[in-house]
Amino acid sequence: MMKMSTFEKLGIQTSKLGFGCMRLPMKDGEIDREQALGMVEYAYRHGVNYFDTAWPYLNGTSEPFMGEALSRYPRDSFYLATKMPVWLVETPEDFERIFEEQLQRLQTDYIDFYLLHSLNKTRFEKLVEQGLYELCKKKQAEGKIRYIGFSYHDAAEHFAALVDKYPWDFVQIQYNYIDPHLLEADRLYQALADRGIPCVVMEPVRGGFLASLPKDISGPFQECDPARSTSSWALRWVAGHDNVKVTLSGMSNMEQLKDNVATFSGDISLTDIEQKTVDRVVKRILDVHTIPCTGCEYCMPCPFGVNIPEVFSIYNNLKLFRNPEISKNAYFGRLKAEARADQCKQCGKCMKACPQHIQIPDMLAMAHAELDAACGTK
Ligand code: SF4
Ligand code: SF4
C-alpha cells in the first residue's frame, strides 16, 4: 500500500510519492496521451494523490493535459500543485490573467498547493516589491488557493531570507543524495526542518542521472540488493528524511511509474548498511567529474541554436560509460552540427536561467573539446 505523509502543520495527508508532470511520455513532439492517461490512472488507483505541474512544463501543454486527466476523479480525492511563472509577471493584472488561465487549463476552481515558481535571490526581491505573496493570500482568502509555497533554485546562502520573509505553508527544494556534495542541499533541507515547514522535493534522481548510472558506478547497489532498481535507492534516500513530505518523480513511462509505486509501497528508510552503500556510490560518481545538468531546459532556447542539455547529456554519458563509439554517434551523428557546443557565442543568456549555476559556455567548450578528442570525426 502507498505510504502516506502527514502534513501536521496543514492537517492533511498526501501520498509520499508525488507525480511530477514535467517529463510525461512524448510522441511526435506532443504528450503521448494514451500512455500518459494510463499512467495517471495507474498512479491514482495505486494511491498517488499529489500531482505537480507548472505553467511552462512541456511547452505549456502539461497543465491542460493534467486538467483533462484529473477531471475523471473527484476533485477532493487528490492534491493539485502548480506554479506562478513569476518571471512573466510585471503587473497585478499579469498575475490575475495567468492564475485564472491556470484554473481553466486545470479544469478546477482551486489549486491545493500553489508555488511561486523557481525563486532565486533576484526574482524574490522583485516579487516582494510587486506584492506577489499578498496576491496569493488574496486568492487564498477567496478559496482559490489552499496552501502557498515556493520552489527554490539558488545558493544555500540566500535561502533563509526567503523562508523567513513570509509564513509559507510548504517549500519545494531540489534534494538527492549527490546534491549535498555539489550544492549544500543539506542546508536547505535543515532550514525547513528547523522551522517546521513541510518540504516537497523535486529532482530526487537529478533529472534521471541517478537512475541510469553505469554498472561500475552503481555496483554497490546491486551487490547490496540485486532486486532493487538504481532509482529506488535515490528515491528512498530522499523520502527517508522526516521532513520530506512528498518526493516528486517526473516519470516518463509506465515501467518507471510501477517501479516507483513499488518503492513507495515498501520500506522507505535506508538501513545503516544501505546508507553506507549510497556513500560508496556517491564517491564513485564524484570521482568521474560529470557536469551537474538535470536536463530541466530552463536555459533553452539558446539564441544560437545550441542544444545545451543534450550536449551535457552526451558528455556525461561519455564520462560515465566510456564508450566513444556511442558518444560519436550521438554527438557527431544524431545531434545536428548547428546544435553542437562549438556554436556557442558566449552571450551568457543561458547562465542566468540555470538553476544549477553551471558555467555553461565554459562547460560547453570543455565538452566539445573532450568529445572531439575522444571521438571526433577528424
Ligand atoms: S552562452 Fe552560448 S549556449 Fe548560452 S545562450 Fe549564449 S550562445 Fe547559447
Ligand atoms: S544547463 Fe542548467 S538550465 Fe540548462 S538544462 Fe542543464 S541544469 Fe537545466
Side-chain angles (χ1 to χ4, degrees), residues 277-342:
T277 304
V278 171
D279 294 343
R280 286 171 64 202
V281 171
V282 166
K283 181 167 182 328
R284 291 184 184 197
I285 293 172
L286 295 176
D287 284 347
V288 172
H289 299 298
T290 51
I291 297 169
C293 171
T294 63
C296 68
E297 297 192 358
Y298 289 169
C299 55
M300 295 289 277
C302 157
F304 297 93
V306 180
N307 190 334
I308 301 164
E310 187 62 19
V311 171
F312 289 162
S313 169
I314 294 170
Y315 172 82
N316 284 346
N317 283 338
L318 175 69
K319 301 294 281 186
L320 288 166
F321 294 94
R322 297 188 293 281
N323 187 327
E325 200 51 39
I326 289 179
S327 300
K328 180 176 175 177
N329 288 340
Y331 193 66
F332 293 103
R334 282 200 314 278
L335 193 64
K336 290 186 181 141
E338 309 89 82
R340 287 181 203 145
D342 56 341

Side-chain angles (χ1 to χ4, degrees), residues 213-230 233 277:
L213 299 171
K215 285 209 167 47
D216 59 337
I217 288 182
S218 65
F221 290 155
Q222 281 91 50
E223 285 164 24
C224 182
D225 186 348
R228 194 174 278 292
S229 69
T230 307
W233 284 88
T277 304

